[in-house]
Amino acid sequence: MACRTVFMAMACLFLEGAEAWSLLRISLPSWTEHGRQACTADGRHQGWGNQRSGMMPLGSWARRGGRTIRMSGDAEIEREVWMIEKPGNLKHLQKKKDMLPPPGPDEVRVRVCAIGLNFADVFTVLGMYDAASSKENLVPGLEFSGVVEAIGDRLQNRKSAIVSRSPDGKRNVLVSSPEPSQTKEGDGQKIRVGDRVMGFSRFGSFSTHLNVGSSYIRPIPDDWTFQQGASFVVQGLTAWYGLVELGQAQAGKRVLIHSAAGGVGLFCLQICRLFDMTPVAIVGSEEKSALLAETYGLEKSQIVIRKQSPRRFKEDVIGACQLLDGKGYDVIMDSVAGKYFSPGYESLSPQGRHVLFGAASYTPRGDLGKVWWSLEFWRSIVPKFLSRPKLDVQKMIGQNKAVLGFNLIWLTDGETDPKVLGLLMDQMLQRRWNPPMVGAEFRFDEMPEALRFFKSGRSVGKVVVNVSEE
Ligand SMILES: NC(=O)c1ccc[n+]([C@@H]2O[C@H](COP(=O)([O-])OP(=O)(O)OC[C@H]3O[C@@H](n4cnc5c(N)ncnc54)[C@H](OP(=O)(O)O)[C@@H]3O)[C@@H](O)[C@H]2O)c1
């Protein structure tokens, strides 16, 4: 363990931001208490099958929509999962069968119809994601859509069981309420077997079935497909939390959005429209620029095509701002970082907020086989580390600028109020959203190909893996 920690710390010296911190945190024991519990709720394979063994009990059944469905989750079932046995290389991602226990009292079991891919999945497979505290035998995957198959005991009695704060305000405690309408925000609505849902899972969605806490699922809007449902939660929440909560969205603000044609980027563009803010979009290619002009009606002057040269990139970013009104950006949504950080930061207006939530420029494009102990990997990382952006915090005071970083997954770590994510979802769903753009679809069997394509950076919109029909 000590050896691994030292190695991880060395690795941190060569990586930046979230990923670098991630490497070190993987080996810190202080994290593991909450992390393991959360992971084990579904993502971790070890212990599932052997914790609850024996005969499969019969559940209770009901007729719904002409079909007979199991009402209670009192039996374990066999499922298929994609599991990373040893992180570091896509080759270690294997399809397996395992047993899924019945959902816990506050959980539901979902038959997964579609899985949405995220950058964090790539980092998980590569073994570079700190939130994946148990790195071996992990079922990756953060979001999904599907059909509720079974409901935990406490959720079946929702009328008399709701969550509230303890008197000292530190914990959530279960209290009774005769009125279902008093169910707290963020706690999830009344869920029924057969409901179409979309949700967030702290790992475990690369699977045909999973158990998930009710706070983390919401009904899919009626006119959305399962693929669109699987494309909403992570990217939508990332855009919402970054731009609305941290960026303090407000009419008239000027917003610079990195990778604007990606999933999070497209949600940021929608939020700009909802709040009457003016976006400037950064994209990696001409094709993406054309797509944004066509589908989002952006002017050419509102789109910056990212150049390799930071000097030229800076000119373009500042140029686009000057064409607006020259006053600088109020918010920057930055998931690329590295050498592309400073041009944006320098064109931030006083009181502006630079929101950092990713570091895509540190991800080597290409095959996932490029592992972090290979020479090739270090060759691509070291120059980036040496030229990484540095801020003089003293100057930040005089400039009235703020840099804020976040990772959504820490809103589910048990240290934050577990209902925070649910509350954010409820806030978001009060708005009317365009159905998310699904850019590419793969079959469940094609998970490795889907991840490879996702990581190529060629995708526009969401990459989705289809699991089962409704
Ligand atoms: N902090 C959080 O909680 C959180 C949550 C979700 C996502 N994220 C981050 O947000 C970013 C966007 O996520 P997304 O879900 O919107 O992904 P996405 O739809 O696949 O978009 C990713 C885009 O990143 C750009 N990119 C830049 N450098 C890249 C590289 N080296 N390799 C591959 N792509 C590269 C590409 O667009 P261009 O070339 O056009 O720029 C690509 O299309 C990612 O960095 C992800 O880690 C953070």
Side-chain angles (χ1 to χ4, degrees):
M1 175 58 140
C3 210
R4 200 178 79 166
T5 305
V6 170
F7 190 80
M8 291 297 182
M10 280 170 62
C12 275
L13 290 176
F14 292 95
L15 285 170
E16 173 70 3
E19 284 77 50
W21 178 226
S22 300
L23 276 176
L24 185 59
R25 286 199 71 175
I26 288 168
S27 53
L28 292 180
S30 60
W31 148 251
T32 53
E33 198 54 36
H34 284 301
R36 281 214 185 101
Q37 281 168 10
C39 258
T40 311
D42 203 57
R44 207 150 52 106
H45 174 249
Q46 269 181 347
W48 263 145
N50 52 23
Q51 269 171 12
R52 306 181 195 209
S53 55
M55 299 282 289
M56 185 185 281
L58 288 174
S60 46
W61 298 83
R63 294 283 296 168
R64 190 131 320 139
R67 283 180 298 152
T68 304
I69 41 186
R70 183 159 39 222
M71 289 297 290
S72 61
D74 50 3
E76 60 176 22
I77 59 157
E78 190 181 66
R79 64 173 183 171
E80 280 190 301
V81 297
W82 279 99
M83 187 192 299
I84 187 86
E85 290 183 318
K86 194 165 156 266
N89 195 313
L90 186 61
K91 284 183 205 138
H92 300 143
L93 191 67
Q94 302 285 333
K95 190 141 76 81
K96 301 251 159 148
K97 288 192 171 151
D98 76 356
M99 298 306 290
L100 180 69
D106 293 311
E107 288 181 334
V108 302
R109 185 175 73 232
V110 176
R111 176 167 56 77
V112 178
C113 292
I115 301 162
L117 296 192
N118 288 288
F119 250 84
D121 300 328
V122 174
F123 293 132
T124 304
V125 170
L126 291 178
M128 292 169 63
Y129 199 39
D130 52 347
S133 64
S134 159
K135 289 175 50 188
E136 289 181 5
N137 295 332
L138 180 93
V139 178
L142 299 177
E143 72 183 318
F144 60 90
S145 64
V147 178
V148 174
E149 268 199 350
I151 293 183
D153 293 343
R154 233 169 355 231
L155 296 173
Q156 294 183 44
N157 301 320
R158 239 308 150 65
K159 282 184 185 170
S160 58
I162 62 166
V163 171
S164 183
R165 302 299 286 176
S166 61
D168 61 3
K170 288 184 179 164
R171 288 173 299 117
N172 287 310
V173 290
L174 207 63
V175 293
S176 289
S177 163
E179 293 296 329
S181 57
Q182 286 177 21
T183 300
K184 282 216 153 193
E185 248 193 314
D187 202 19
Q189 298 168 13
K190 194 154 193 263
I191 297 157
R192 292 173 7 135
V193 169
D195 282 354
R196 283 164 26 101
V197 292
M198 54 190 179
F200 177 89
S201 60
R202 191 176 167 135
F203 306 109
S205 77
F206 284 13
S207 170
T208 57
H209 298 79
L210 82 164
N211 293 333
V212 61
S214 64
S215 300
Y216 299 135
I217 55 170
R218 292 293 180 275
I220 303 178
D222 288 343
D223 53 344
W224 288 14
T225 63
F226 281 108
Q227 288 73 22
Q228 289 164 337
S231 309
F232 181 74
V233 175
V234 171
Q235 292 171 331
L237 281 175
T238 303
W240 185 267
Y241 187 69
L243 192 43
V244 179
E245 289 275 312
L246 302 183
Q248 298 189 336
Q250 211 179 316
K253 283 196 172 179
R254 295 156 297 242
V255 184
L256 180 68
I257 304 165
H258 284 259
S259 297
V264 177
L266 293 175
F267 275 107
C268 288
L269 287 174
Q270 279 202 64
I271 292 172
C272 285
R273 204 178 267 176
L274 287 172
F275 285 80
D276 204 12
M277 302 189 288
T278 309
V280 168
I282 302 171
V283 291
S285 68
E286 286 283 355
E287 297 78 52
K288 292 181 183 181
S289 163
L291 177 114
L292 291 187
E294 224 171 84
T295 54
Y296 278 78
L298 294 191
E299 302 287 334
K300 256 198 158 2
S301 59
Q302 283 179 277
I303 305 176
V304 171
I305 299 177
R306 203 177 50 241
K307 309 279 182 337
Q308 277 299 318
S309 148
R311 191 178 54 79
R312 287 203 54 202
F313 177 69
K314 183 175 171 180
E315 282 168 9
D316 290 352
V317 165
I318 292 174
C321 188
Q322 273 164 356
L323 284 176
L324 290 181
D325 59 9
K327 288 187 181 153
Y329 298 101
D330 299 298
V331 189
I332 299 177
M333 288 295 287
D334 187 355
S335 59
V336 175
K339 65 182 178 184
Y340 301 107
F341 170 86
S342 302
Y345 180 77
E346 283 165 24
S347 51
L348 205 58
S349 67
Q351 292 180 298
R353 294 174 165 230
H354 194 131
V355 181
L356 267 170
F357 59 99
S361 61
Y362 294 90
T363 318
R365 290 191 193 244
D367 194 80
L368 279 171
K370 201 181 260 189
V371 288
W372 55 267
W373 55 81
S374 71
L375 192 61
E376 199 187 355
F377 179 83
W378 290 100
R379 265 204 204 119
S380 74
I381 280 294
V382 172
K384 288 175 184 169
F385 170 76
L386 294 175
S387 61
R388 74 197 186 282
K390 295 176 191 79
L391 277 182
D392 183 337
V393 288
Q394 224 48 45
K395 279 192 185 156
M396 285 173 75
I397 302 170
Q399 293 169 336
N400 267 15
K401 292 182 180 180
V403 176
L404 303 103
F406 77 94
N407 186 347
L408 213 58
I409 206 151
W410 301 125
L411 300 183
T412 68
D413 67 355
E415 286 165 24
T416 315
D417 186 329
K419 300 290 182 285
V420 166
L421 210 89
L423 281 168
L424 288 170
M425 273 201 261
D426 290 338
Q427 280 173 17
M428 270 190 85
L429 288 167
Q430 281 166 17
R431 307 274 177 161
R432 176 129 188 93
W433 298 90
N434 295 335
M437 183 191 286
V438 178
E441 292 181 49
F442 290 82
R443 294 193 317 272
F444 190 57
D445 282 349
E446 298 173 323
M447 184 64 82
E449 288 80 8
L451 282 166
R452 224 173 251 127
F453 173 73
F454 176 78
K455 190 173 168 291
S456 72
R458 283 180 287 133
S459 57
V460 175
K462 190 79 173 179
V463 180
V464 169
V465 174
N466 291 319
V467 184
S468 67
E469 302 289 319
E470 189 174 3

